[in-house]
Amino acid sequence: MHWTTNPSTPSVGLVVVTKTRSPIRSSVGLKAVMAVTGILLVLFLVVHMLGNLKVFTGETSFDHYAHWLRELGSPLLPPTGYLWLQRTVLLVAVLAHIGAATALALRARAARPVRYAHRKAVKGSYAARTMRWGGVIILLFVIYHILDLTTGHLNPQGDAGNPYGNVVADFAPERWYVTLFYTLAIVAVGFHLRHGAFSAFRSLGQQTPKGERRARAVALVLAVALSAGYLVVPFAVLTGLVA
């Protein structure tokens, strides 16, 4: 906020108050928040996926990895201290990502207060709807996933000392509906990542026809690879490959 004096009435000295919006609250700032938090969340997804894939190395190796995460940072951090620090950072990133996306969506809607009676469907509208509904599905899945494989409240075994057994019990054939919900959530993550990565690449300058084709290809490969990396675990348990 700053003060200015009206030059046309110097004797009166009219003071005008002008509010200056914080750079981070501008549209550019909000997009930057979405980009930074998005990158942070994608990095976590990649690392988490690689950790999940250790289930194929056997029960002993997988459980050792899970226990190692609980002791990471010791003795500087207390037991599970690193995990709680990571969860806090991820929670802040998710809330900031959702907040920035919501603010941008509201501004876009406010800029178009009157809807056209007839309007052709455009790719941007489809992508926006996919991102919104996909975001809701992902949020619900994250909550369920925490209660399932983190706290163990919704896991049929819920044994903190046997993470491998928790995974096998979670995606057992008779619990096919859990695998179905997991698949739906991961597909939503894939769509979300594909659109988000493409938008990020365009923001970085890939705006020529050739650059856009390259950005679409890279975003698609990234989304498919990440989705496949996550889905291979529950389907391996479902089919008996991991037991």
Side-chain angles (χ1 to χ4, degrees):
M1 180 182 296
H2 63 273
W3 303 82
T4 58
T5 301
N6 190 337
S8 62
T9 55
S11 59
V12 177
L14 178 62
V15 177
V16 179
V17 180
T18 305
K19 291 186 177 180
T20 303
R21 176 179 289 173
S22 170
I24 201 170
R25 296 179 61 187
S26 67
S27 294
V28 174
L30 290 173
K31 289 179 180 179
V33 169
M34 287 194 68
V36 171
T37 54
I39 292 172
L40 181 62
L41 294 172
V42 169
L43 290 176
F44 166 75
L45 287 174
V46 172
V47 173
H48 189 53
M49 179 194 71
L50 295 176
N52 287 352
L53 293 177
K54 289 186 71 66
V55 75
F56 292 103
T57 63
E59 182 174 359
T60 301
S61 178
F62 186 79
D63 285 352
H64 175 75
Y65 167 72
H67 293 307
W68 172 77
L69 284 177
R70 293 191 180 101
E71 299 299 327
L72 187 61
S74 178
L76 181 63
L77 297 175
T80 71
Y82 165 76
L83 289 177
W84 281 109
L85 179 62
Q86 174 184 270
R87 290 163 187 164
T88 301
V89 172
L90 289 174
L91 178 61
V92 172
V94 168
L95 293 178
H97 197 78
I98 294 175
T102 302
L104 287 171
L106 291 176
R107 287 182 187 178
R109 178 174 296 182
R112 302 189 305 270
V114 179
R115 294 189 176 186
Y116 296 101
H118 301 284
R119 182 178 59 182
K120 293 183 179 180
V122 295
K123 292 182 178 179
S125 298
Y126 171 77
R129 288 195 299 270
T130 301
M131 293 291 278
R132 284 196 295 269
W133 288 110
V136 172
I137 294 173
I138 294 169
L139 180 60
L140 293 176
F141 170 72
V142 168
I143 295 173
Y144 174 83
H145 194 60
I146 291 174
L147 294 174
D148 179 18
L149 292 174
T150 301
T151 67
H153 287 85
L154 298 180
N155 189 274
Q157 177 170 287
D159 182 3
N162 186 11
Y164 182 93
N166 292 340
V167 173
V168 172
D170 198 35
F171 299 113
E174 62 270 17
R175 286 169 55 85
W176 57 268
Y177 50 88
V178 174
T179 301
L180 179 61
F181 177 50
Y182 189 92
T183 301
L184 177 63
I186 295 302
V187 170
V189 170
F191 276 108
H192 203 88
L193 178 61
R194 177 177 174 270
H195 179 70
F198 170 68
S199 299
F201 290 141
R202 289 194 75 239
S203 298
L204 293 174
Q206 298 293 338
Q207 297 183 8
T208 64
K210 183 177 180 180
E212 287 199 2
R213 288 194 298 270
R214 185 185 298 115
R216 289 185 187 278
V218 173
L220 179 61
V221 170
L222 179 62
V224 170
L226 196 69
S227 298
Y230 273 98
L231 290 178
V232 69
V233 173
F235 279 96
V237 176
L238 183 68
T239 58
L241 183 61
V242 172

